[in-house]
Amino acid sequence: MHTQQDCRGLDAQDPLRGLRDLFTLPEGVIYLDGNSLGAMPKAAPARIAQVTTQEWGQDLIRSWNTAGWFHWPQQIGDKIARLVGAGQRELVATDGTSINLFKVLSAALSMAQADAPERRVVVSERSNFPTDLYIAEALCKERGLSLKLVEPDEIAGALDASVAVLMLTHVNYRTGAMHDMAAVTAAAHAAGALTVWDLAHSAGAVPVELKNARADFAIGCGYKYLNGGPGAPAFVWVHPRHAERFWQPLAGWWGHAAPFVFTPDYRPAAGIQRYLCGTQPIISMAGLDVGVDTLLAAEPLGGMAALRAKSLALTDLFIELVEQRCAGHGIGLATPREHGQRGSQVCLTRQQGAYAIVQALIARGVIGDFRQGDGGQRPDILRFGFTPLYIGFEDVWNAVEHLRQVLDSGEWQRPEFNQTHAVT
Ligand SMILES: *Cc1c(COP(=O)(O)O)cnc(C)c1O
């Protein structure tokens, strides 16, 4: 059994401990929601101020060339590629996650149907993040296809000759469960289907090997574990074997082979550049760049493998301490215990009061979040994300101690913790 003293010792020995200094974290807060909005890098305000006061304010339109604004989607994309097992010039930072999903799912469906028009089904998980399901539903409706939603253990069985695309989120947002990307991709390919992977809860959280897994398409989020800031641009990757086969439906001028020739007809750029659409939000891009740099700062210390080892140690410790110190309060575990099946978050369940318990913790400075269940098979979730860049072992101890006190005292039953806010 770990003591608080042990946890301090683990922090003292942690080779990644210094990376915490790259972030602004408010005094008295234990931030366990970096899976929803990553913490702010200390370098972000000055960098954003540089973009506004100097590059925009003084250099004006010249900055597209002088500051290199035009190349940022590719340059930042090349940095993100290093975190997800993609090659250089294969990934771009652009648009939002939902929009990028529309682009790649559309391209994947065009490809699949050109090769096998009889394949008319998109398979996904019922517990996938809703925006992914909504985008897929809309695209299927538009194309007269059908969307089939299954449970995780039904995926393999659903891969038959009718399936065009298997669209999955690598790490489930509700449970933290992680798919074996290589094995699932191989099964999809064996069944003749293409794969689209959403890396929203994977990029910067767990090692990802897109190319080694022979994945077909991937997208991911910039403001979660990549620390890019609220609404930061997302990213999109297409395996080079597919990148030039079709162009994506949002064929804007930034994806044109020669945008500044201003021709009336569309000619797609080579490779991943055609997945750009229009002018990018440069101020937000600067935030994303600084956020991605916090992950690259771990490269000399072992990179994603070292971050993963620490993340597993943190989540193991959290599970152990909750089970020991909060026993008897009806707390369950929704996240798999097996390392190979877990992302960087731990999701707890409770029949009643999950929302209020999370609110009581937030009032104490322990910030996690709540995800609603369906009153039946899907329980209410208390969700805690562990960003190994800035969370330490003593933070885990303290977070569990607060949870224990909230449960033991019944503090969560106070009326103020039972009022629902617009954003949970
Ligand atoms: C966070 C998340 C998104 C977010 O999409 P936005 O377009 O950025 O709002 C999409 N998909 C998954 C799986 C997510 O976890």
Side-chain angles (χ1 to χ4, degrees):
M1 177 157 168
H2 285 92
T3 64
Q4 184 170 19
Q5 200 54 41
D6 297 337
C7 294
R8 263 186 213 143
L10 290 169
D11 281 332
Q13 293 161 19
D14 173 14
L16 303 177
R17 182 72 178 165
L19 296 171
R20 184 188 185 98
D21 295 336
L22 297 173
F23 294 89
T24 297
L25 289 162
E27 205 51 51
V29 164
I30 302 174
Y31 191 58
L32 303 181
D33 221 352
N35 53 322
S36 231
L37 175 64
M40 187 179 77
K42 277 184 190 158
R47 178 70 193 284
I48 290 166
Q50 155 83 11
V51 172
T52 52
T53 44
Q54 180 63 40
E55 295 174 14
W56 179 20
Q58 297 299 311
D59 304 337
L60 291 161
I61 199 165
R62 292 168 288 189
S63 287
W64 287 106
N65 290 311
T66 55
W69 286 350
F70 189 70
H71 302 290
W72 286 6
Q74 186 62 71
Q75 281 169 4
I76 301 169
D78 282 343
K79 290 185 185 181
I80 297 171
R82 282 151 63 180
L83 304 172
V84 295
Q88 298 294 286
R89 301 286 181 273
E90 289 178 10
L91 184 153
V92 282
T94 186
D95 296 332
T97 310
S98 305
I99 291 167
N100 287 333
L101 179 62
F102 179 84
K103 293 188 277 192
V104 297
L105 183 56
S106 197
L109 287 170
S110 295
M111 257 181 67
Q113 292 224 284
D115 294 342
E118 71 284 3
R119 291 183 178 267
R120 308 188 61 77
V121 175
V122 174
V123 171
S124 192
E125 252 181 86
R126 189 167 290 114
S127 67
N128 200 344
F129 192 85
T131 202
D132 297 48
L133 299 181
Y134 303 157
I135 295 279
E137 186 186 329
L139 259 172
C140 285
K141 221 175 247 174
E142 198 178 291
R143 291 173 173 245
L145 308 176
S146 58
L147 174 63
K148 182 173 179 181
L149 301 182
V150 300
E151 299 302 320
D153 59 355
E154 296 167 344
I155 293 170
L159 294 170
D160 59 28
S162 71
V163 179
V165 174
L166 173 63
M167 177 192 86
L168 292 175
T169 296
H170 184 217
V171 175
N172 186 284
Y173 81 105
R174 273 184 63 83
T175 62
M178 181 167 72
H179 287 291
D180 179 338
M181 185 185 285
V184 174
T185 299
H189 288 172
L194 293 166
T195 54
V196 170
W197 290 97
D198 187 331
L199 306 180
H201 289 272
S202 322
V206 299
V208 177
E209 291 291 339
L210 283 173
K211 255 180 136 169
N212 286 343
R214 294 195 58 75
D216 299 291
F217 298 85
I219 53 153
C221 188
Y223 53 79
K224 293 175 178 166
Y225 292 95
L226 296 184
N227 308 314
F235 65 88
V236 50
W237 172 84
V238 178
H239 194 288
R241 70 182 182 270
H242 303 316
E244 298 193 0
R245 190 135 173 233
F246 280 93
W247 66 69
Q248 49 94 2
L250 304 180
W253 71 306
W254 274 52
H256 194 279
F260 289 96
V261 178
F262 296 104
T263 57
D265 58 315
Y266 183 71
R267 194 156 47 84
I272 194 65
Q273 291 276 335
R274 71 182 58 187
Y275 281 80
L276 298 175
C277 179
T279 307
Q280 297 302 305
I282 291 299
I283 300 168
S284 296
M285 279 262 166
L288 177 62
D289 194 28
V290 173
V292 172
D293 281 346
T294 62
L295 287 143
L296 299 187
E299 279 187 342
L301 304 167
M304 284 310 305
L307 288 167
R308 174 62 169 166
K310 180 174 172 190
S311 153
L312 287 171
L314 291 169
T315 48
D316 276 344
L317 177 67
F318 183 75
I319 293 170
E320 176 199 310
L321 291 176
V322 167
E323 289 183 337
Q324 283 166 0
R325 298 174 58 76
C326 304
H329 285 292
I331 297 281
L333 180 67
T335 304
R337 286 170 200 275
E338 297 78 10
H339 286 176
Q341 294 176 31
R342 188 201 305 165
S344 197
Q345 70 191 48
V346 177
C347 301
L348 305 178
T349 61
R350 195 169 190 275
Q351 281 255 298
Q352 282 173 359
Y355 177 79
I357 294 165
V358 169
Q359 292 307 310
L361 285 171
I362 292 172
R364 286 165 167 262
V366 180
I367 303 182
D369 60 25
F370 164 79
R371 288 293 175 262
Q372 188 154 10
D374 59 6
Q377 232 183 8
R378 286 204 314 188
D380 286 352
I381 298 266
L382 302 86
R383 192 171 71 148
F384 302 96
F386 296 85
T387 302
L389 285 172
Y390 50 78
I391 296 300
F393 295 92
E394 196 179 5
D395 293 328
V396 173
W397 173 276
N398 288 331
V400 175
E401 176 56 18
H402 281 293
L403 177 61
R404 186 190 70 73
Q405 289 178 18
V406 162
L407 292 168
D408 280 354
S409 66
E411 179 180 313
W412 60 274
Q413 291 168 346
R414 286 197 218 146
E416 70 261 36
F417 299 137
N418 286 275
Q419 283 162 8
T420 317
H421 300 290
V423 175
T424 60

